[in-house]
Amino acid sequence: MGGMRQKYHLEPDRGLLNDPNGLAYFKGKYYVFFQWNRFAKDHGYKEWGLFKSSDLLNWTFEGSALLPDQIYDQDGVYSGSACVIEDKLCLFYTGNTKSDGRRKVYQCMAVSSDGRKYLKHGCVLETPADYTEHFRDPKVFKGSRQGYFMVIGAQKSNGKGAVALASSCDGVHWSVKGNLAETEMYEMVECPDLFELDGKHVLMFNPQERDNDNDVCGVSFSAYKIMEFDEKTETVGDRDLDKHCRFDQGFDFYAPQTFCDDKGRRIMFGWMSRMNEMQEQIFAAEERNIHCLTLPRELNVKNGRLYQRVPEEFERLKGKQIPLEMPKTKEIKAVFPQKAAFVKVSGSDLDQGIFIRFPEDGTKIFYNGSEKVFTFVRYDWVNKTEEQKSFPMEMLYSLELWLDQSSIEIFLNEGEYVLSSRIYSKGEGQTVIFKGMTEKSEIECKEINTGGMHNE
């Protein structure tokens, strides 16, 4: 069997998925919309698809939700967000149009009272004169006192990136207030999100290098900045986006978005891909679809950093304990019957160093305790070699792995650092080999129960 299709991550039955959109908790259900091309495994068409759930674990795939069928969105229903306003689910998105090769965008609104039918209300905000038509991805949230705010990914008319801010008294009539924050290093900022959490404000954003002359996108990644947002003056204390933290240290993570659920938790999903065209072609050659979302993650601010944890509901997915084998070598081994697996290693001795490998797929994880560097290595399925991500890390005391058929999400120190990556999956089973462990280490290996889950 094998293949790349995931067992417990959200992905549609066909086509290409990218950014999570319109995340919301509405009338007892979790809503996860997403950018979708249902016709092909490329980015040539964009609508919104939809998953729904009552428990974050078991999801129903609802198919199409918003189609590019109006004059203001005829060339794509691009990314956006959701906000519950007066007991209605209000979706905000960027309508994309092109005429004679020239782009024109509109920030649009669609409304539903039942979460099934979405009535488009058209454009609620046109691009102001201070910006190019790279003006998109509206994220709307309710103010703590009154009114609503919208952050928008933008490119200023001088070709540099910014996060624009708009406000509204009713969620329908909007006015742009100017730049909330700006960058001199990047030509565009995509998919911003701003929210209050644990007494601070967090601005999430995706800086992007662009060749403005040829209108071509280069390097882009996800970042965040902890700051103070003053609703009254509609300003932040530090407007410099070039001072930021990376959101994820892995290969495949982009365009994260958050929402608040009925338990008051700040939940995030991200797009688990940054593949180039050649990687996509090979990775999904045998599948009807490509790309998936990350696991949902509960966010918190601690010690000046954003921590990410898998929500408590996922404890219910943990199944049978996998026994540890201890050959005569200094290795410890666990053999899983399927790729979907949970592994946790903890203990004070991890700070001295640890080495974990997955021989079937060519994945390696190691922490160098003397140099204080964490490294993740995966098989490069295009060049048939290895590729790696490394970053400095002062201390390691906990390492948690959530593995699926073709992905790995690594949570270090209870979510202080996270690495998200797709894996070129070979076969069905999974062997994990540990080195560098002492009697102070604890290893937990469990199967993941995926029966009855996913996009039914």
Side-chain angles (χ1 to χ4, degrees):
M1 286 292 291
M4 301 299 160
R5 187 165 178 81
Q6 301 273 58
K7 304 281 199 236
Y8 65 105
H9 286 76
L10 290 179
E11 55 182 356
D13 61 357
R14 63 195 182 279
L16 179 143
L17 165 149
N18 58 300
D19 304 359
N21 292 155
L23 306 185
Y25 187 82
F26 179 63
K27 295 189 175 178
K29 296 274 187 183
Y30 291 95
Y31 284 71
V32 173
F33 299 86
F34 60 94
Q35 291 275 276
W36 189 27
N37 180 357
R38 62 190 153 111
F39 300 109
K41 294 182 289 185
D42 61 35
H43 293 271
Y45 167 92
K46 296 293 176 191
E47 64 174 70
W48 279 24
L50 172 61
F51 293 102
K52 278 190 203 175
S53 173
S54 56
D55 62 3
L56 279 182
L57 296 176
N58 300 283
W59 294 85
T60 303
F61 178 42
E62 303 282 347
S64 301
L66 291 178
L67 300 174
D69 55 9
Q70 302 296 318
I71 195 165
Y72 49 79
D73 61 18
Q74 61 191 13
D75 293 300
V77 175
Y78 278 20
S79 290
S81 60
C83 188
V84 179
I85 300 175
E86 294 181 355
D87 208 31
K88 289 183 170 58
L89 186 60
C90 299
L91 306 182
F92 297 86
Y93 67 93
T94 300
N96 187 52
T97 68
K98 281 185 179 174
S99 176
D100 298 325
R102 292 178 65 85
R103 183 196 312 270
K104 174 70 181 162
V105 298
Y106 304 91
Q107 309 315 313
C108 306
M109 181 180 183
V111 178
S112 176
S113 56
D114 59 8
R116 288 192 297 272
K117 295 177 182 173
Y118 300 89
L119 179 64
K120 289 183 179 179
H121 286 220
C123 174
V124 294
L125 190 65
E126 291 206 38
T127 307
D130 298 338
Y131 303 93
T132 73
E133 290 300 315
H134 288 299
F135 189 80
R136 57 180 177 267
D137 313 330
K139 176 69 196 300
V140 172
F141 61 96
K142 195 176 192 310
S144 60
R145 288 186 290 275
Q146 60 183 13
Y148 299 87
F149 294 97
M150 176 192 291
V151 284
I152 307 138
Q155 182 184 66
K156 297 183 294 184
S157 49
N158 69 358
K160 295 296 184 180
V163 173
L165 179 71
S167 63
S168 170
C169 60
D170 57 7
V172 177
H173 302 91
W174 293 89
S175 58
V176 173
K177 300 301 177 179
N179 296 324
L180 185 74
E182 302 174 318
T183 169
E184 285 299 312
M185 291 175 59
Y186 299 93
E187 286 72 39
M188 174 63 189
V189 175
E190 293 191 303
C191 302
D193 193 354
L194 178 65
F195 51 88
E196 189 173 2
L197 184 63
D198 298 325
K200 298 288 186 182
H201 280 89
V202 180
L203 178 65
M204 298 180 357
F205 59 100
N206 299 262
Q208 184 185 77
E209 293 178 3
R210 289 194 78 87
D211 176 349
N212 287 336
D213 292 335
N214 297 302
D215 199 23
V216 175
C217 172
V219 173
S220 55
F221 60 94
S222 294
Y224 73 88
K225 188 178 177 77
I226 296 173
M227 51 172 50
E228 301 295 337
F229 172 56
D230 186 327
E231 290 187 14
K232 199 170 182 182
T233 62
E234 299 179 335
T235 59
V236 293
D238 182 358
R239 293 162 48 88
D240 184 4
L241 293 178
D242 295 329
K243 292 183 287 187
H244 57 251
C245 296
R246 281 214 173 223
F247 210 101
D248 193 283
Q249 306 291 333
F251 286 97
D252 292 297
F253 183 90
Y254 199 64
Q257 187 176 116
T258 73
F259 69 105
C260 223
D261 74 356
D262 63 324
K263 299 179 179 67
R265 299 179 296 182
R266 178 62 56 172
I267 305 284
M268 181 216 81
F269 283 87
W271 178 37
M272 197 149 44
S273 175
R274 292 308 287 142
M275 292 184 202
N276 60 38
E277 196 173 333
M278 182 63 74
Q279 287 174 320
E280 285 185 343
Q281 284 177 9
I282 297 172
F283 191 87
E286 306 298 319
E287 307 290 345
R288 294 181 64 211
N289 72 294
I290 188 166
H291 303 320
C292 68
L293 299 182
T294 64
L295 290 180
R297 299 175 189 172
E298 183 178 353
L299 303 184
N300 287 104
V301 175
K302 285 190 281 189
N303 309 320
R305 288 189 61 85
L306 197 59
Y307 278 65
Q308 308 173 54
R309 298 293 311 277
V310 176
E312 62 182 3
E313 287 90 335
F314 281 76
E315 289 294 317
R316 305 208 303 264
L317 292 192
K318 294 178 186 175
K320 185 176 153 192
Q321 184 92 29
I322 297 296
L324 299 175
E325 302 172 16
M326 300 191 187
K328 290 180 180 174
T329 63
K330 291 184 178 178
E331 297 180 343
I332 299 171
K333 186 165 80 168
V335 180
F336 290 85
Q338 61 172 5
K339 298 283 187 189
F342 172 81
V343 175
K344 183 167 185 179
V345 184
S346 54
S348 58
D349 62 320
L350 298 189
D351 213 30
Q352 299 166 32
I354 185 175
F355 181 74
I356 302 173
R357 66 186 176 95
F358 300 81
E360 289 96 346
D361 295 340
T363 305
K364 299 171 189 169
I365 297 165
F366 49 97
Y367 179 65
N368 186 317
S370 56
E371 294 183 12
K372 304 290 186 187
V373 173
F374 189 91
T375 302
F376 172 74
V377 178
R378 75 171 178 186
Y379 172 70
D380 175 351
W381 59 90
V382 174
N383 300 307
K384 296 184 168 57
T385 180
E386 288 184 344
E387 56 183 344
Q388 72 173 47
K389 294 275 189 180
S390 290
F391 62 96
M393 186 175 165
E394 272 305 304
M395 184 173 68
L396 178 66
Y397 59 85
S398 166
L399 182 147
E400 195 173 290
L401 311 178
W402 290 83
L403 301 125
D404 204 339
Q405 182 65 28
S406 60
S407 71
I408 183 169
E409 286 166 272
I410 305 171
F411 296 80
L412 303 174
N413 295 347
E414 310 295 335
E416 180 185 8
Y417 295 95
V418 183
L419 297 89
S420 308
S421 297
R422 299 306 299 269
I423 302 296
Y424 194 75
S425 178
K426 298 170 184 172
E428 195 63 35
Q430 185 88 268
T431 304
V432 190
I433 295 171
F434 305 87
K435 261 187 179 178
M437 311 295 291
T438 73
E439 62 279 354
K440 294 179 184 175
S441 311
E442 285 187 31
I443 303 176
E444 180 185 352
C445 294
K446 289 187 174 177
E447 292 181 20
I448 294 287
N449 294 324
T450 59
M453 284 192 59
H454 201 18
N455 41 354
E456 296 298 313

